[in-house]
Structure formats: C-alpha cells, structure tokens
Amino acid sequence: MREGLELVQRALLEADVSFSVSKEFMARVTDQATGERVMKSLDPSQQLVAIVHQELIALMGPVDHSLHLKGGLTTVMLCGLQGSGKTTTCGKLGRTIQQRGRKPMLVAADLQRPAAINQLQVLGEQLDLPVYADLSAKDPVKLCHAAVRQARGTGVDVLILDTAGRLHVDAELMAQLAQIDNRVQPEQVYLVVDAMTGQDAVNSAKVFNEALELDGVIMTKLDGDARGGAALSVKAVTGVPIKFVGTGEHLDALEEFHPDRMAGRILGMGDVLTLVEKAQQEFDQEEMQKQEARLRKGEFTLDDFKKMLGQTTKLGPINKLMGMIPGMSGMADMVGDLDAEKDMRRLVGVIDAMTPEERRNPSKVIDQSRRRRIAAGAGVEPHEVNELVKQFDGIADIMKRMSGMGIRDRMRMMKEISEGGMLHPGAQIARQKGSTGKRLTPRERANLKKQREKEIRRKKRETKRNRKK
Amino acid sequence: MGLFDKFKQGLTKTKQLLNTDIRDLFKAEGRLVDEAFLDELFEALIKTDMGVQAAQETVEEIRTAFRARVVQMQEVVERIKEKLKTLMQQPAAPIDFAASGPTVIMVAGVNGCGKTTSIAKLGRMFLADGKRVVLGAADTFRAAAVEQLTIWAGRLGAEIVTGPRGSDPASVAHRTVAKALEIGADVCIVDTAGRLQTQQGLMQQLTKIHRVLGKQIPEAPHEVLLVLDATTGQNGISQAKHFTDAVRCTGIVLAKLDGTAKGGVVVAIRQQVGLPVKYIGVGEKAEDLALFEPVPFVDALFDDVALA
C-alpha cells in the first residue's frame, strides 16, 4: 500500500502539482486508503486508484461553467502571465458568447506587447466581432473605462477585456490591474493559466487572486502532452472554479472543464479511466470472468482474440476511442486512414472460417492447404491468414506473460506496448523469442548422440531379457 | 551593469525562496540528517522544478554521504552545488558562428514561450557587437506575429523579411537566408510559429523549415535555439525531446526568469536530453538577455547559504 501511495505522489509531482498541494492531498488519501474500506476490498491497488481519482475530482470540483451573463452589460476581464494565451482565449470566449446569442465586444487593453492590439483586431475580423482599440492610448485603465462607455451606446452587451501579460512580482503592473478592476468593476475576472506551468503556478495564482478576487480560471494549451497538474494547484490556492480549457490554436477550441477527465490526465492515465469505465459497462461481465480465468492459466486462443475484437468494436468507433486518449488524437487520424474497423471485421471473418482446433493452436495446426481453405472461406488472400496468425502469436505471448502479473505490472506493460506502437504505427507486436538453449560444439553433440545410442541399446537389451524370462 | 550582475538580479527572486528554505533546513547548526531532514531537502529541490528524478538522485546522494551524521550546512550545500554544476557544465562559447558568410539561427518553441521577444533580444545583442542582422518572420500563422517582429526590427534597426499571413513559412525562411547572403549580413535569425510538440503536422513543417534553411548554406542552420518558458514544469522535458527530434536543437533560451519561477526543469532536460542552456531572458526590454553561466547560476541559488 505504501508503495502505491508513493507512486501516486510521484505521479502528482511529475504532473507539476505543487509540492504543498500534493502533500495535503496525499495526507487525505492516505487517511482513507489505510481505512477499513481498503483492507477489506479484494484488490487494494484498484481501490487506491479509485480513492485517488475521487479525491482529485472532489478537489477540482464543483463544476461551474456559467459565465454569469446579466441582462444588461456584463464585463469579463482576462488576466495572466505573459504568453499564457490571453489574447487567443479572448477570441475564443468571444466566439462562445456570440454563439449564445449575445453581442460581445473585445477590448484590446494590452498596450505593452508590440502588435497585441493588431492581433486582437485580426481575431475580431475572423469572428466578425467588434474590437475596441485605441492605438494612441497609453493608459489601459482609461482605455477600459472608455470601452465601457462606448459599449453602453451601442448594442454590445458583453465586454471582454484582454489585459497585458504581467509578472505577479511586478508590483506596478499588478497595481494597474487592480485599478482597472476598481474603475470598470468587471462582473467576472478570469485568470488564464498555461497548462504547462510548473511549481510556480501556486505563487502567481495566489498573487493574482489576492489582487483581484478571481471568479474563475481558464486553462490553456491542454492539447499538448502536459499533464496539467497546475489545474490542481491553482484550484487549491484560489478556490475558484476552472471554467474552460483551451484545446487548440483554432478559435473553436474552447471546451468546458471536466474535473474527472483532468483527474485521469494528472494521474498520467489520460482519459484511460474514462475508457476503463466505458469498457466496464459494455463488457459482458461473465465473459470477462471466463477470460480472466483462462488468462490466469496462460491460455489464450483465437476465440478469445475474436471476443476481444468484438468487445472493442462494441465500445464505439475506434477513431473516437483513440481521440479520447490525450496524445493519441493524432493517431486517430492515422487509424482513420487504415480503416481499423474494416480490418477488424476481416480478422473476425478469417477466425470464423477456422475449425475449433485451428483456433486453439493456429501456428502449429494451420498448414498450406488449411491456409488456402480458410482464405477461400473468409474471402481473403492466403497471406492475410498468415499475418493474422503472426499477430495472434505476438498477442498470445504478451497475454501469457501478463497472466503472472499484478495489475500495476499489467498497466505498465500496456503502456510500453502502446508507446512502442505509437512510435512505429506500422510496427507489429513482436513475439518475444524464447531461449533456444545452449549451442553445442560438434564434439558435445557427438557425445550426446553416443549417450543416446547407448541408452537405446541398454533398453533393447532389457526388453530382450524380460522377454526371455 | 555587467552581465553577471544582471544574471544575479534575474535570479534574486528565485534565490530568495530556495535560500529561505535551505536556511530553514539548517536553522540549528549541525543538524542530524534523518528522514525528516531529507524530506525537507526533497521539497526544496522539487520546488525548483528540477523534477522528481533529479531531486531524488540529489537526495539519495546526500543520504549516502551524510546519513545519521550531524552536518554543517556548508558541507551539504557544497555537495549539492557541486552536483548541479557538473550537471550543467557546457562549452563557453554560446553561438557557433559560421567561418564565413552569415550565421543562421533558427528559433523554435511552444506557443507563448517568448520566441519573438527572445529574437529581438538576440538581435539587439548581435547588433551591439557590430554585426549586421537579418530577422525572418516565418511565423505566418498567429495573428499579428509578423507585425510584432516588424515593430522590433524597426526599434532595433535590423533588416526583416516577411511574408503574408497564411503563406508558407519555409518560403519566408528561404528568402531570409537569400536576403542575408545578398546584403552580406553576419547573422540571420528565423522566427517560427509557436507549436505544441505533440502536433505532428506542425512539427513536420518545422523540419521542413530546418531543411530549407540548409538549401543555400549547407551548414545552416548553425544554431537551433529552443525557447523555454521558465515557468514551465515537467512538460519542458517533452518539449526538449520532441523539438530536438524534429530540428536538432543546439541549445535553450530560458525566457521569463525574472519571476519567481526557478526554471529548474533545465536541470532535468540537461540530464535526460543533454540540451544546454545558452541564454536567459530576465525582463521585457530588448537588453534583458544574459549569457547562461552554470557556475554563477548554481552559486547564485545558494549564495547566502554558503556565506552564512
């Protein structure tokens, strides 16, 4: 159990969850994990994962996706460090609000970075949204105030302020932000946080929250492979909900935040947990148990393989499934090209054309004439039968090796396999070669032969003697 | 203000936090090295973003060397410093200039890490050295990225080559090198659009830009600098790995080191990818760029502790 807890803490730290937050979190999980509930459960490691998952969700919840738009003019202010993605998020948010039937206006209040105003204007053009900009302005506080006045005159009912990026230790610029907050009194203030932020996330979020009283957080750049532990840190220090996540450079890539998905991601399982849950619902429980029993014995036949294929197809389109796993969304497109489902149906067809004996022991039983018969029966080329048998050998080998492992080793192995596969999409699962034993010298071989012959002669003599008696 | 002072100034914030922690650790002189002590040390190291692996290794080293002993703070600090210095060692010359003709520098990184600003700073530094500089605005994707670099080029007095938004960045890169050759420039710095290292298509595009840069000058690009945001956590390792795979990075520019972030992930990157840090960014102004020096970097982190 302690080993499991250490693994979880390591996973959190590697995901960039702040040290103090992870420490508190671990204390809470340890309390629960050492309680009666886990001791009695059948599989403590699974139970631990479940507790950790639940706690993570609890810590990152509750969910509040509402932008709290009022009847009249609502002002939303975005702030954050340099390069966290404020301007892009400003555009995305404008688009979302526009789609809800409101009339947003973007306010270019970043007078610091060269061409920041221009960037927002381009986004406004793309989205067909008005942008309030004043190229001669020097004071963002006045500019924001002027924007509010202009908005009241026109039909605009939501203002989104894109403020300049600033360091939380820059007292002057932080004071300026507080001034804008005072003067404009925005209904909602959102901190934009880069998902890749490390241990420093707590420091900056804390200072921003103290200066402005944040209402929410928007996390950006979640389309990469960052595990996003900063989400946990920021939620823990500010206590405000994470509203949205940015998942791409395009203006429609803004999604509502889901703590359950984030929890899995932080633990390094991507959406694998979601996948597991989905799988659990769909899988025929009884069938699972039968297979599990067989797996434990190290038996794995083409029939099992077929069932596996069948169950995977039951989960839904494989492209979508792959898309749910972060970092594999690129693979989904590739799989799309290969048309995985059609391939799967072909494989099932080939297996259906086999006799039970052939399914049990394909590599030994299937010879050339059987191969031709199966191919004809399934309507495929004979070499495809061969490929299937080869692939099956690889998988069967893995299954056999896995049969002796605990859940963690299995997970690790699955990870290795999928990583290997991802790096070489064309690669097949290779069968691990067994030992061929010691290579003998000609002399040793001659000796062994001599011994064998001697033994045979001895046995012959014995049978002769027995017969005489 | 010399480069060294600037460097130290940039690290002051970083230093303060780590120093306080370390001093806390060694409050009473000659503390017993036990599990609690090692845990505190681990925490201090983790907070630098150096990563679990590097922190654990450091703690293990201290454990084997000092376990169950009463230590002087000087001893432990020296030990950690020594380890970090060896880890971060690198050749003294940051930029490998071409023997003749323009030196081509390609700059890459994820979105919002500070590429364009870093390029402006690099450009200013080369101009200050009396070199002729051409900037290539090959970020044709992000809105107003070209304008941003153009404004910088105007401020610095550097030549710039641009292309319309949405055009092929490789063609801008090609024309930048052509321009550098044409006017006999000494240095040519090519900006690229920010991209996450997991976007395969965009990474291939980057490889193409890299290839195109070598069309007119076979050795080009002479340097490929990865700009890394100092606030980045462990994802920095993945960034370093993937960008190095795509365009054979030669070094890192560690931007935004003027906050409280420690940028310690470069330690893990050095350890796992071998990529050295060449420059650090310590502010928003064009002159806020300093040479990365491992010895003062590590020394600055532990400065007060060693003196106390």
Side-chain angles (χ1 to χ4, degrees), chain A residues 8-30:
Chain A
V8 171
Q9 184 174 21
R10 198 187 160 116
L12 291 179
L13 290 177
E14 277 173 352
D16 290 321
V17 175
S18 119
F19 190 90
S20 41
V21 174
S22 81
K23 208 169 159 184
E24 274 168 40
F25 179 80
M26 288 315 296
R28 228 182 2 253
V29 170
T30 311

mmCIF file of all heavy atoms in Angstrom, chain A residues 8-30:
data_model
loop_
_atom_site.group_PDB
_atom_site.id
_atom_site.type_symbol
_atom_site.label_atom_id
_atom_site.label_comp_id
_atom_site.label_asym_id
_atom_site.label_seq_id
_atom_site.Cartn_x
_atom_site.Cartn_y
_atom_site.Cartn_z
ATOM 1 N N VAL A 8 1.659 7.264 -6.388
ATOM 2 C CA VAL A 8 0.680 8.319 -6.658
ATOM 3 C C VAL A 8 1.316 9.688 -6.446
ATOM 4 O O VAL A 8 1.168 10.592 -7.267
ATOM 5 C CB VAL A 8 -0.565 8.154 -5.769
ATOM 6 C CG1 VAL A 8 -1.473 9.363 -5.905
ATOM 7 C CG2 VAL A 8 -1.316 6.896 -6.135
ATOM 8 N N GLN A 9 2.067 9.819 -5.353
ATOM 9 C CA GLN A 9 2.690 11.119 -5.100
ATOM 10 C C GLN A 9 3.683 11.480 -6.201
ATOM 11 O O GLN A 9 3.737 12.609 -6.668
ATOM 12 C CB GLN A 9 3.404 11.137 -3.751
ATOM 13 C CG GLN A 9 3.941 12.540 -3.479
ATOM 14 C CD GLN A 9 4.547 12.708 -2.114
ATOM 15 O OE1 GLN A 9 4.929 11.738 -1.477
ATOM 16 N NE2 GLN A 9 4.631 13.938 -1.664
ATOM 17 N N ARG A 10 4.427 10.491 -6.614
ATOM 18 C CA ARG A 10 5.383 10.737 -7.683
ATOM 19 C C ARG A 10 4.662 11.185 -8.952
ATOM 20 O O ARG A 10 5.090 12.106 -9.637
ATOM 21 C CB ARG A 10 6.165 9.450 -7.944
ATOM 22 C CG ARG A 10 7.427 9.724 -8.706
ATOM 23 C CD ARG A 10 8.159 8.474 -9.137
ATOM 24 N NE ARG A 10 9.040 8.883 -10.221
ATOM 25 C CZ ARG A 10 10.362 8.829 -10.156
ATOM 26 N NH1 ARG A 10 10.946 8.370 -9.103
ATOM 27 N NH2 ARG A 10 11.084 9.240 -11.157
ATOM 28 N N ALA A 11 3.537 10.498 -9.234
ATOM 29 C CA ALA A 11 2.753 10.860 -10.417
ATOM 30 C C ALA A 11 2.287 12.307 -10.320
ATOM 31 O O ALA A 11 2.345 13.062 -11.293
ATOM 32 C CB ALA A 11 1.563 9.934 -10.571
ATOM 33 N N LEU A 12 1.842 12.708 -9.132
ATOM 34 C CA LEU A 12 1.365 14.086 -8.953
ATOM 35 C C LEU A 12 2.498 15.083 -9.173
ATOM 36 O O LEU A 12 2.337 16.072 -9.876
ATOM 37 C CB LEU A 12 0.795 14.265 -7.546
ATOM 38 C CG LEU A 12 -0.504 13.527 -7.225
ATOM 39 C CD1 LEU A 12 -0.911 13.790 -5.788
ATOM 40 C CD2 LEU A 12 -1.616 13.935 -8.165
ATOM 41 N N LEU A 13 3.661 14.797 -8.580
ATOM 42 C CA LEU A 13 4.783 15.724 -8.714
ATOM 43 C C LEU A 13 5.255 15.792 -10.158
ATOM 44 O O LEU A 13 5.590 16.853 -10.666
ATOM 45 C CB LEU A 13 5.935 15.314 -7.806
ATOM 46 C CG LEU A 13 5.690 15.495 -6.308
ATOM 47 C CD1 LEU A 13 6.870 14.982 -5.506
ATOM 48 C CD2 LEU A 13 5.428 16.957 -5.969
ATOM 49 N N GLU A 14 5.246 14.666 -10.824
ATOM 50 C CA GLU A 14 5.658 14.659 -12.227
ATOM 51 C C GLU A 14 4.652 15.395 -13.096
ATOM 52 O O GLU A 14 4.979 15.863 -14.173
ATOM 53 C CB GLU A 14 5.856 13.227 -12.721
ATOM 54 C CG GLU A 14 7.228 12.712 -12.355
ATOM 55 C CD GLU A 14 7.430 11.248 -12.667
ATOM 56 O OE1 GLU A 14 6.445 10.585 -13.041
ATOM 57 O OE2 GLU A 14 8.562 10.778 -12.526
ATOM 58 N N ALA A 15 3.417 15.466 -12.616
ATOM 59 C CA ALA A 15 2.399 16.200 -13.361
ATOM 60 C C ALA A 15 2.441 17.690 -13.020
ATOM 61 O O ALA A 15 1.579 18.443 -13.443
ATOM 62 C CB ALA A 15 1.024 15.629 -13.070
ATOM 63 N N ASP A 16 3.426 18.100 -12.230
ATOM 64 C CA ASP A 16 3.601 19.505 -11.847
ATOM 65 C C ASP A 16 2.594 20.000 -10.817
ATOM 66 O O ASP A 16 2.354 21.197 -10.699
ATOM 67 C CB ASP A 16 3.539 20.441 -13.065
ATOM 68 C CG ASP A 16 4.751 20.281 -13.955
ATOM 69 O OD1 ASP A 16 5.842 20.121 -13.395
ATOM 70 O OD2 ASP A 16 4.598 20.311 -15.178
ATOM 71 N N VAL A 17 1.975 19.103 -10.069
ATOM 72 C CA VAL A 17 1.153 19.550 -8.947
ATOM 73 C C VAL A 17 2.121 20.126 -7.914
ATOM 74 O O VAL A 17 3.188 19.562 -7.675
ATOM 75 C CB VAL A 17 0.377 18.373 -8.328
ATOM 76 C CG1 VAL A 17 -0.379 18.828 -7.092
ATOM 77 C CG2 VAL A 17 -0.577 17.778 -9.345
ATOM 78 N N SER A 18 1.750 21.263 -7.337
ATOM 79 C CA SER A 18 2.668 21.907 -6.404
ATOM 80 C C SER A 18 2.940 20.994 -5.207
ATOM 81 O O SER A 18 2.079 20.219 -4.797
ATOM 82 C CB SER A 18 2.084 23.242 -5.952
ATOM 83 O OG SER A 18 1.884 23.244 -4.568
ATOM 84 N N PHE A 19 4.146 21.113 -4.680
ATOM 85 C CA PHE A 19 4.558 20.187 -3.621
ATOM 86 C C PHE A 19 3.622 20.249 -2.418
ATOM 87 O O PHE A 19 3.172 19.221 -1.916
ATOM 88 C CB PHE A 19 5.995 20.489 -3.179
ATOM 89 C CG PHE A 19 6.555 19.436 -2.266
ATOM 90 C CD1 PHE A 19 7.232 18.348 -2.783
ATOM 91 C CD2 PHE A 19 6.380 19.524 -0.887
ATOM 92 C CE1 PHE A 19 7.734 17.363 -1.953
ATOM 93 C CE2 PHE A 19 6.881 18.534 -0.053
ATOM 94 C CZ PHE A 19 7.555 17.465 -0.586
ATOM 95 N N SER A 20 3.309 21.455 -1.977
ATOM 96 C CA SER A 20 2.480 21.564 -0.778
ATOM 97 C C SER A 20 1.074 21.026 -1.031
ATOM 98 O O SER A 20 0.499 20.337 -0.181
ATOM 99 C CB SER A 20 2.424 23.017 -0.309
ATOM 100 O OG SER A 20 2.287 23.880 -1.400
ATOM 101 N N VAL A 21 0.545 21.313 -2.225
ATOM 102 C CA VAL A 21 -0.789 20.802 -2.553
ATOM 103 C C VAL A 21 -0.776 19.282 -2.600
ATOM 104 O O VAL A 21 -1.670 18.613 -2.068
ATOM 105 C CB VAL A 21 -1.281 21.383 -3.903
ATOM 106 C CG1 VAL A 21 -2.595 20.752 -4.312
ATOM 107 C CG2 VAL A 21 -1.430 22.891 -3.818
ATOM 108 N N SER A 22 0.261 18.721 -3.195
ATOM 109 C CA SER A 22 0.313 17.266 -3.318
ATOM 110 C C SER A 22 0.472 16.624 -1.949
ATOM 111 O O SER A 22 -0.059 15.550 -1.684
ATOM 112 C CB SER A 22 1.450 16.847 -4.259
ATOM 113 O OG SER A 22 2.674 16.848 -3.579
ATOM 114 N N LYS A 23 1.169 17.312 -1.061
ATOM 115 C CA LYS A 23 1.382 16.772 0.278
ATOM 116 C C LYS A 23 0.053 16.698 1.044
ATOM 117 O O LYS A 23 -0.279 15.667 1.629
ATOM 118 C CB LYS A 23 2.361 17.674 1.024
ATOM 119 C CG LYS A 23 3.151 16.953 2.079
ATOM 120 C CD LYS A 23 4.262 17.847 2.574
ATOM 121 C CE LYS A 23 4.751 17.412 3.929
ATOM 122 N NZ LYS A 23 5.755 18.340 4.451
ATOM 123 N N GLU A 24 -0.698 17.793 0.991
ATOM 124 C CA GLU A 24 -2.006 17.800 1.646
ATOM 125 C C GLU A 24 -2.907 16.729 1.058
ATOM 126 O O GLU A 24 -3.601 16.011 1.772
ATOM 127 C CB GLU A 24 -2.690 19.160 1.432
ATOM 128 C CG GLU A 24 -2.316 20.206 2.448
ATOM 129 C CD GLU A 24 -2.799 21.571 1.996
ATOM 130 O OE1 GLU A 24 -3.925 21.648 1.459
ATOM 131 O OE2 GLU A 24 -2.044 22.539 2.142
ATOM 132 N N PHE A 25 -2.863 16.668 -0.245
ATOM 133 C CA PHE A 25 -3.702 15.708 -0.949
ATOM 134 C C PHE A 25 -3.367 14.282 -0.520
ATOM 135 O O PHE A 25 -4.236 13.476 -0.218
ATOM 136 C CB PHE A 25 -3.500 15.880 -2.451
ATOM 137 C CG PHE A 25 -4.296 14.922 -3.268
ATOM 138 C CD1 PHE A 25 -5.634 15.158 -3.520
ATOM 139 C CD2 PHE A 25 -3.720 13.777 -3.791
ATOM 140 C CE1 PHE A 25 -6.379 14.272 -4.269
ATOM 141 C CE2 PHE A 25 -4.451 12.891 -4.531
ATOM 142 C CZ PHE A 25 -5.786 13.140 -4.772
ATOM 143 N N MET A 26 -2.080 13.989 -0.459
ATOM 144 C CA MET A 26 -1.649 12.641 -0.098
ATOM 145 C C MET A 26 -2.066 12.296 1.321
ATOM 146 O O MET A 26 -2.416 11.160 1.618
ATOM 147 C CB MET A 26 -0.127 12.492 -0.249
ATOM 148 C CG MET A 26 0.370 12.452 -1.671
ATOM 149 S SD MET A 26 -0.579 11.389 -2.767
ATOM 150 C CE MET A 26 -0.293 9.801 -2.017
ATOM 151 N N ALA A 27 -2.016 13.292 2.198
ATOM 152 C CA ALA A 27 -2.417 13.042 3.582
ATOM 153 C C ALA A 27 -3.877 12.599 3.620
ATOM 154 O O ALA A 27 -4.240 11.652 4.332
ATOM 155 C CB ALA A 27 -2.217 14.306 4.409
ATOM 156 N N ARG A 28 -4.702 13.274 2.816
ATOM 157 C CA ARG A 28 -6.118 12.927 2.805
ATOM 158 C C ARG A 28 -6.350 11.537 2.232
ATOM 159 O O ARG A 28 -7.126 10.750 2.754
ATOM 160 C CB ARG A 28 -6.888 13.971 1.988
ATOM 161 C CG ARG A 28 -8.088 14.426 2.737
ATOM 162 C CD ARG A 28 -8.999 15.406 2.096
ATOM 163 N NE ARG A 28 -8.734 15.854 0.779
ATOM 164 C CZ ARG A 28 -8.273 17.063 0.492
ATOM 165 N NH1 ARG A 28 -7.982 17.905 1.436
ATOM 166 N NH2 ARG A 28 -8.107 17.433 -0.755
ATOM 167 N N VAL A 29 -5.645 11.257 1.151
ATOM 168 C CA VAL A 29 -5.808 9.950 0.520
ATOM 169 C C VAL A 29 -5.312 8.846 1.435
ATOM 170 O O VAL A 29 -5.948 7.800 1.574
ATOM 171 C CB VAL A 29 -5.056 9.913 -0.837
ATOM 172 C CG1 VAL A 29 -5.005 8.500 -1.375
ATOM 173 C CG2 VAL A 29 -5.722 10.835 -1.832
ATOM 174 N N THR A 30 -4.189 9.086 2.099
ATOM 175 C CA THR A 30 -3.631 8.072 2.986
ATOM 176 C C THR A 30 -4.615 7.721 4.094
ATOM 177 O O THR A 30 -4.789 6.543 4.427
ATOM 178 C CB THR A 30 -2.307 8.568 3.605
ATOM 179 O OG1 THR A 30 -1.491 9.080 2.555
ATOM 180 C CG2 THR A 30 -1.576 7.454 4.306
#
